[in-house]
Amino acid sequence: MPDVKCNRLLLFDIDCTLLNTGGAGMAAFHSAAEELYSDQISKKGVLKLDMAGSTDSGLIMEIFNSLDIEDSSFERKKFFDLYLSKLSTNLSNSKFNGRLLPGVLNTLKKFTEPNDNYEVFIGLLTGNIEEGARIKIEHYGIEKYFMFGAFGCDHFDRNKLGPIALERARQNHGLQFDSQETFVIGDTPKDINCAKAFGARSLAVATGSFSYDQLMGYDPDYLLDDLSDWEKVSNFLLTD
């Protein structure tokens, strides 16, 4: 009787985990807000947003709340249409100097190769709205690795995205995934807490604005400087 492989579901954050846009995304978000709501911003003062690990839906709620703008589907569409246009433009502008982060491409390639013990499935769990996520991963040439995901347009609370990702994985692959065979890979405390919220495990990478020591304080299951050491990455994610 042949051995039965175990499933492993790997859910990747995008910004500062897979890639760094060099500020193109943040600039697009702020520029869209400033273009649409310049009068309100001039009255209220500088618009300050906590971008790291936040969802786009949460950020737009924060903008609307701080500027006393009524939150509506029309207003959201107007903002995100402009944001997506600016994002595409910024990514093509060499001044932002974006890049894939160390080890990312090799890691994705390795996880798509046959494995004796695990059937590996890869998806996204990101605060980006889906269109923004697709624009980013397509620009950096890794879109073929991500057929499904949970996004910032699915819920404003990142901690609610895990079950959505599990359901999307089931729909995409026809398999029921357990949270204990699932990993969230990300660069912020919000990624770590998101994994805990639905019983998954976490691999934190110190490739964003939080240092290795800072991330350690949030008790991730595993922690690396980046994804460049394939042996460590595979040992962490492909062992029980």
Side-chain angles (χ1 to χ4, degrees):
M1 183 176 178
D3 293 335
V4 177
K5 289 186 178 182
C6 298
N7 291 332
R8 183 68 87 228
L9 177 61
L10 308 179
L11 300 172
F12 286 85
D13 172 53
I14 293 179
D15 293 293
C16 294
T17 298
L18 293 172
L19 55 88
N20 187 324
T21 67
M26 184 182 298
F29 217 94
H30 279 276
S31 179
E34 289 163 2
E35 183 171 324
L36 291 172
Y37 312 123
S38 58
D39 290 344
Q40 293 92 330
I41 292 172
S42 65
K43 293 176 183 177
K44 295 285 186 176
V46 178
L47 188 63
K48 295 181 179 180
L49 298 173
D50 177 17
M51 305 286 287
S54 297
T55 66
D56 286 351
S57 293
L59 289 170
I60 197 60
M61 290 170 65
E62 187 179 337
I63 289 173
F64 290 163
N65 183 60
S66 65
L67 299 180
D68 296 326
I69 295 167
E70 184 178 355
D71 190 345
S72 67
S73 57
F74 171 80
E75 201 65 41
R76 287 189 179 218
K77 184 178 187 308
K78 182 171 68 172
F79 176 87
F80 283 121
D81 283 350
L82 183 57
Y83 158 70
L84 292 170
S85 174
K86 289 179 177 293
L87 175 62
S88 295
T89 299
N90 287 356
L91 288 172
S92 299
N93 189 330
S94 60
K95 80 173 185 179
F96 288 104
N97 195 29
R99 66 197 186 282
L100 288 178
L101 290 170
V104 165
L105 190 56
N106 183 59
T107 294
L108 295 176
K109 287 179 178 178
K110 289 283 191 182
F111 279 134
T112 60
E113 295 174 356
N115 182 283
D116 291 337
N117 300 313
Y118 291 92
E119 195 74 35
V120 180
F121 303 88
I122 299 174
L124 294 169
L125 198 163
T126 174
N128 287 271
I129 59 171
E130 184 169 4
E131 289 175 86
R134 294 295 173 194
I135 287 171
K136 289 178 182 180
I137 62 174
E138 286 172 11
H139 181 79
Y140 293 101
I142 55 173
E143 72 279 3
K144 69 179 181 180
Y145 298 105
F146 299 101
M147 298 296 105
F148 69 93
F151 304 93
C153 48
D154 292 317
H155 204 286
F156 71 89
D157 183 351
R158 196 182 193 98
N159 286 352
K160 303 294 186 182
L161 295 182
I164 295 172
L166 292 180
E167 175 58 20
R168 297 261 169 82
R170 185 194 67 77
Q171 293 171 357
N172 200 268
H173 294 290
L175 297 170
Q176 194 72 42
F177 292 92
D178 185 85
S179 58
Q180 275 300 298
E181 60 191 16
T182 302
F183 275 88
V184 174
I185 300 96
D187 67 292
T188 74
K190 291 178 182 177
D191 297 294
I192 298 168
N193 291 334
C194 172
K196 292 177 180 178
F198 72 109
R201 286 177 280 181
S202 59
L203 169 60
V205 286
T207 44
S209 58
F210 291 86
S211 69
Y212 187 100
D213 289 340
Q214 286 175 319
L215 290 170
M216 186 180 293
Y218 290 88
D219 195 29
D221 292 280
Y222 301 104
L223 176 59
L224 289 170
D225 288 314
D226 56 36
L227 296 175
S228 60
D229 189 331
W230 167 247
E231 185 174 350
K232 286 184 178 179
V233 172
S234 59
N235 282 342
F236 287 163
L237 298 181
L238 298 182
T239 55
D240 289 315

